[in-house]
Amino acid sequence: MQESAKESNYYRQMSDLTNYNPSQREAVTFGEGPLLVLAGPGSGKTFTITQRILYLIHEKQIPPQKLLVITFTREAAVSMRQRFLQISPQHTTVNFGTFHSCFYQILLRSGRVSPGNILNEKQKKELIYPVLKKIKAHNALSATDLPELAKNLLTAIGYYKNTGDLQSSMDRLPEEWKNDFAQVYSGYEEARKRIRGLDFDDMLKECEELLQKDDAMRAYWQNLFSYILIDEFQDINYRQYCIVRLLAQKHKNVFAVGDDDQAIYGFRGAKPACMKQFVQEFGAKQIILSTNYRSHQDIVEASLAVIAENSDRFPKNLEPCEANRRHLGKMDKKNYHVRIREFSGAKEQLQFLMRQLKDRTEGETYGILFRTNLAMQSVAAGLTREGIPFSIKEHGKNIYDHFIVQDILAYLRIAQGTAARADYLRVVNKPFRNISREAFGGEVSLQALEHYYADLMRQTGAGYLRSAYDAVRLLRRQMEFVKNTDLKLAVWFLRKACGYENYLQQRQRMEQTEEWMEILDFITEEAGQYKTLREWQEAQEVYREQLQKENEHHPKKGREESADCQIRLLTVHASKGLEFDHVWIPDCNEKTFPHGNVQDTEHLEEERRIFYVAMTRAKKDLELLCLTGTAERPRFPSRFLIPLNRYRR
């Protein structure tokens, strides 16, 4: 009894009016039935959810074990549980989990699955490899290409299982595999069922079927969980929504917290439209957490101006908290906290970032947010060269491992006379020179290659060999020039005079080519920082070692714990849920924001939401960087900057 009184007193302190704004209090103390809490950026949604749990236990007398709290990642579920137990350590029986862990427990207890038949990523690849090799038997698959290809196809299969959208699933594949998707899917499913294996996406399907068809099991789980609380509700896919609908059919006590303006996982099958479906089907009340406790007023207003361009959204009026207004002050026309800066090229943009990051304030946090992992890697390489410490949250491919960089390095080694046979085979037909692999059977050099074709022409008299012979002679002269010039000019010569850039442009679709041109621009400027190829390659190894140390230091948590490092480099998707005092968003240009060639309104609106999420990570200052390009290759500012003209600098 004494303990109960102590808990009640503790809760009364927690629920004092000073701890809540009116919308938070309304959400926390909401009664029975369905509720959609629209939680804007920095609005204290985690605080609201944990206080809601506390309210249900103490004030509504709901047994903790009858509460189910669902979020989307294991890390988020663990974090939510830890934050709740900090304020209520005795209530350990509240159920926290991800969608997949909850559905797995339902299937496990029903006997529909066992721990041994859940497939991990390695097992899934082992099942799909033979399928891919069989389909493309006439076109041997490279051992180096196979893992990436398998990953892409498994992603498309997972998307199809979650959405049933065949066309969108196929659109995620390389062009040459789109027509084979049905055959790949059928082959993979046959192999999976043969060993009685289930992947994560199958668990959703199996769980939905169980709850639909088994009345007793459905009643059991409905009675077990009388209240369901869901975080990041905008990331739900349709199958997950259907399962929640089945679980909540009896009590309808669903407390769904999310922000449709931050729905950025369409590539995984997330459907923010489920939020509107929830309101319509459940008759859910709506509450907006409209106070932003994170960002300066300028940042709040600028981000709202951008996202207001989207038409398919819940309208929201968001504003900074009064403390931010008093502390940071109203907008000063001479001192905006949001700025748009323009640069002629990536080199100038990178130099600006280097200057800004060298002049940082102790105790402040700095985030540089990128649309793609590849763009992030080029800035990381620049920071390494300048000796500026940084942390990268997510694992990503080293930019120096990209095939374009490796091609250029192979050419440079050929010119320097240090190339291996693999270097010649890698680039000798990039662009196409009609040179056969059989020509590299003996000594490997351009001189030996020229002799090979000269001898072959004398022996056979075949006229078609003349083109290869002439191509080798021209390549020898080109490599002599490359050998005797500085690195930057050498790379430029390889791009233009040797035809490598034209080869890339002919090889792929337009949006891919644009990304490849950015990589070429990066390594051209990068080469200019070094006197010799050896010095450049040594610098690349230093960068590789730094990335490896990052991976080893935070192998599982994606380096979230690198709090001792002031500067963080992240993709926008990885930045979700984080905040920084100062934020830069480079490459605010068309084809980056929005990414690629936008084909439809739905895609465009998701790209705008991605940009909005990036903007709303900033607390004190936000700088949007864009490139103007050159007369040869002009760049166009992102359309998302149009509502922000007053912030141009």
Side-chain angles (χ1 to χ4, degrees):
M1 187 71 180
Q2 185 178 3
E3 183 65 26
S4 178
K6 182 180 178 181
E7 288 179 14
S8 180
N9 179 58
Y10 177 75
Y11 182 74
R12 278 197 297 273
Q13 291 176 2
M14 289 298 297
S15 62
D16 187 81
L17 279 170
T18 58
N19 289 325
Y20 299 95
N21 63 46
S23 56
Q24 286 177 327
R25 168 165 285 279
E26 185 182 6
V28 169
T29 61
F30 181 75
E32 303 285 317
L35 177 67
L36 176 62
V37 180
L38 293 162
S43 61
K45 70 178 179 63
T46 303
F47 172 78
T48 302
I49 294 172
T50 54
Q51 294 301 301
R52 171 66 175 173
I53 299 169
L54 209 57
Y55 175 82
L56 290 172
I57 294 172
H58 285 273
E59 298 297 326
K60 303 294 288 184
Q61 299 296 305
I62 307 301
Q65 64 272 19
K66 295 186 79 65
L67 302 180
L68 174 62
V69 185
I70 307 176
T71 189
F72 281 81
T73 66
R74 180 180 177 276
E75 291 78 9
V78 169
S79 175
M80 183 83 73
R81 185 174 191 276
Q82 289 173 341
R83 289 185 64 170
F84 173 71
L85 291 178
Q86 284 174 359
I87 60 174
S88 188
Q90 69 275 26
H91 293 122
T92 58
T93 55
V94 176
N95 300 281
F96 292 88
T98 64
F99 274 104
H100 283 99
S101 66
C102 294
F103 300 161
Y104 173 70
Q105 288 300 321
I106 291 173
L107 292 172
L108 191 64
R109 294 193 200 181
S110 70
R112 296 282 286 259
V113 301
S114 60
N117 64 355
I118 302 299
L119 301 172
N120 59 34
E121 290 303 310
K122 181 181 178 182
Q123 291 170 318
K124 287 161 64 176
K125 285 184 177 180
E126 288 172 351
L127 288 179
I128 204 170
Y129 281 163
V131 178
L132 302 182
K133 291 175 181 177
K134 181 179 179 181
I135 292 172
K136 295 290 186 181
H138 60 285
N139 183 15
L141 292 170
S142 163
T144 56
D145 293 339
L146 194 56
E148 187 68 23
L149 177 61
K151 179 182 176 183
N152 289 341
L153 280 155
L154 287 169
T155 298
I157 289 171
Y159 185 89
Y160 180 62
K161 287 181 177 182
N162 279 296
T163 66
D165 188 340
L166 179 60
Q167 187 57 52
S168 295
S169 303
M170 291 169 58
D171 288 343
R172 284 157 169 73
L173 297 175
E175 196 65 39
E176 64 270 22
W177 280 90
K178 288 183 178 180
N179 292 334
D180 296 307
F181 178 66
Q183 191 176 352
V184 172
Y185 180 82
S186 175
Y188 171 75
E189 285 295 280
E190 182 181 327
R192 178 185 65 77
K193 291 174 182 176
R194 190 165 52 245
I195 64 168
R196 300 178 64 82
L198 288 175
D199 58 31
F200 279 120
D201 302 304
D202 293 314
M203 282 199 287
L204 271 63
K205 179 173 175 290
E206 292 285 328
C207 189
E208 183 181 11
E209 289 180 357
L210 172 68
L211 295 175
Q212 281 177 336
K213 297 176 181 178
D214 192 323
D215 295 342
M217 289 301 297
R218 183 172 65 252
Y220 171 80
W221 291 103
Q222 287 175 348
N223 288 324
L224 185 62
F225 300 129
S226 55
Y227 285 82
I228 301 175
L229 300 89
I230 306 173
D231 189 21
E232 303 288 6
F233 193 62
Q234 76 278 353
D235 295 333
I236 199 167
N237 66 42
Y238 183 68
R239 180 151 272 158
Q240 290 166 336
Y241 171 75
C242 290
I243 298 172
V244 169
R245 186 171 58 191
L246 287 165
L247 287 173
Q249 206 170 49
K250 180 177 180 180
H251 300 289
K252 291 187 168 44
N253 292 320
V254 179
F255 186 85
V257 182
D259 181 8
D260 56 324
D261 290 335
Q262 297 185 71
I264 62 173
Y265 292 106
F267 67 93
R268 293 181 186 168
K271 291 290 182 186
C274 289
M275 298 179 77
K276 290 186 176 179
Q277 188 171 352
F278 170 64
V279 171
Q280 293 165 358
E281 293 185 348
F282 279 75
K285 182 178 178 179
Q286 299 174 50
I287 295 174
I288 299 176
L289 302 185
S290 57
T291 303
N292 184 312
Y293 292 94
R294 174 186 299 155
S295 303
H296 184 275
Q297 182 175 351
D298 289 12
I299 297 166
V300 174
E301 292 181 358
S303 59
L304 284 175
V306 169
I307 201 62
E309 299 287 308
N310 275 7
S311 58
D312 187 15
R313 61 186 290 262
F314 289 95
K316 308 173 194 70
N317 291 318
L318 309 178
E319 56 185 25
C321 68
E322 191 60 33
N324 274 6
R325 291 178 185 274
R326 292 195 302 268
H327 178 64
L328 298 171
K330 292 273 190 178
M331 189 186 324
D332 182 346
K333 292 183 179 179
K334 297 180 180 179
N335 186 27
Y336 286 105
H337 289 259
V338 177
R339 301 176 189 86
I340 296 174
R341 297 187 185 272
E342 295 182 340
F343 305 90
S344 59
K347 176 185 176 183
E348 291 74 21
Q349 178 179 258
L350 182 60
Q351 288 173 340
F352 169 77
L353 280 171
M354 299 300 110
R355 290 194 301 269
Q356 297 292 300
L357 294 171
K358 283 179 180 177
D359 187 27
R360 56 191 181 275
T361 303
E362 187 69 29
E364 300 272 88
T365 56
Y366 300 81
I368 312 175
L369 310 184
F370 304 86
R371 181 63 183 84
T372 66
N373 193 287
L374 196 59
M376 178 175 67
Q377 292 291 324
S378 65
V379 173
L383 289 169
T384 301
R385 188 175 64 244
E386 295 294 325
I388 299 174
F390 64 93
S391 173
I392 295 180
K393 180 180 177 183
E394 67 260 61
H395 293 264
K397 290 184 178 179
N398 184 336
I399 192 170
Y400 296 118
D401 290 335
H402 194 279
F403 82 88
I404 290 176
V405 182
Q406 290 300 309
D407 285 352
I408 295 296
L409 291 173
Y411 264 123
L412 292 173
R413 286 191 289 266
I414 290 172
Q416 295 294 331
T418 60
R421 184 173 185 269
D423 290 319
Y424 285 92
L425 292 174
R426 181 180 190 95
V427 298
V428 76
N429 281 309
K430 296 179 180 179
F432 184 65
R433 298 183 176 96
N434 201 28
I435 297 174
S436 168
R437 292 177 68 92
E438 285 71 26
F440 296 94
E443 179 190 345
V444 180
S445 69
L446 290 178
Q447 185 177 10
L449 198 59
E450 185 177 337
H451 290 328
Y452 171 85
Y453 278 106
D455 291 343
L456 199 59
M457 281 193 297
R458 280 195 299 269
Q459 294 168 14
T460 65
Y464 71 88
L465 296 171
R466 168 61 64 177
S467 65
Y469 175 73
D470 290 343
V472 172
R473 295 192 66 191
L474 174 61
L475 184 58
R476 279 191 69 184
R477 293 196 298 272
Q478 291 171 334
M479 292 301 98
E480 281 297 319
F481 177 84
V482 169
K483 178 181 180 180
N484 295 307
T485 191
D486 64 83
L487 275 178
K488 183 174 181 179
L489 181 56
V491 174
W492 188 258
F493 184 81
L494 289 170
R495 290 176 63 173
K496 303 295 185 179
C498 294
Y500 184 76
E501 186 171 314
N502 187 55
Y503 154 77
L504 289 179
Q505 289 172 334
Q506 292 177 353
R507 175 176 162 179
Q508 261 295 2
R509 59 189 187 276
M510 192 59 210
E511 62 263 33
Q512 185 73 64
T513 304
E514 186 65 41
E515 184 179 273
W516 289 350
M517 294 305 106
E518 293 292 342
I519 295 171
L520 279 177
D521 288 345
F522 162 72
I523 59 171
T524 303
E525 294 300 330
E526 173 91 344
Q529 306 296 320
Y530 303 95
K531 293 181 179 179
T532 66
L533 175 60
R534 181 176 178 179
E535 183 184 332
W536 190 18
Q537 289 180 312
E538 287 174 351
Q540 292 173 22
E541 284 306 309
V542 170
Y543 177 62
R544 190 184 305 279
E545 289 171 7
Q546 176 164 339
L547 287 187
Q548 183 62 35
K549 287 178 182 177
E550 285 271 328
N551 292 344
E552 291 172 354
H553 186 51
H554 300 287
K556 291 185 178 179
K557 293 197 174 182
R559 288 161 285 232
E560 287 95 337
E561 295 180 8
S562 296
D564 56 325
C565 190
Q566 288 180 271
I567 302 169
R568 302 280 296 279
L569 273 58
L570 312 93
T571 61
V572 180
H573 284 91
S575 74
K576 187 112 176 343
L578 302 179
E579 58 184 38
F580 306 92
D581 293 314
H582 310 278
V583 167
W584 291 269
I585 308 176
D587 304 320
C588 295
N589 289 85
E590 290 292 301
K591 296 190 180 298
T592 302
F593 292 102
H595 189 58
N597 289 326
V598 178
Q599 302 295 328
D600 55 71
T601 301
E602 184 178 353
H603 179 198
L604 175 62
E605 295 209 344
E606 173 152 339
E607 287 292 321
R608 188 176 281 111
R609 293 194 294 267
I610 291 170
F611 193 66
Y612 173 75
V613 166
M615 294 178 71
T616 55
R617 301 310 94 196
K619 295 167 65 177
K620 297 181 179 180
D621 289 290
L622 169 66
E623 296 204 278
L624 309 170
L625 316 181
C626 69
L627 310 180
T628 58
T630 62
E632 180 186 26
R633 213 171 105 236
R635 299 295 304 273
F636 301 100
S638 168
R639 69 192 75 182
F640 302 154
L641 299 180
I642 293 174
L644 307 176
N645 281 330
R646 63 174 171 166
Y647 299 105
R648 290 188 180 276
R649 282 290 180 274

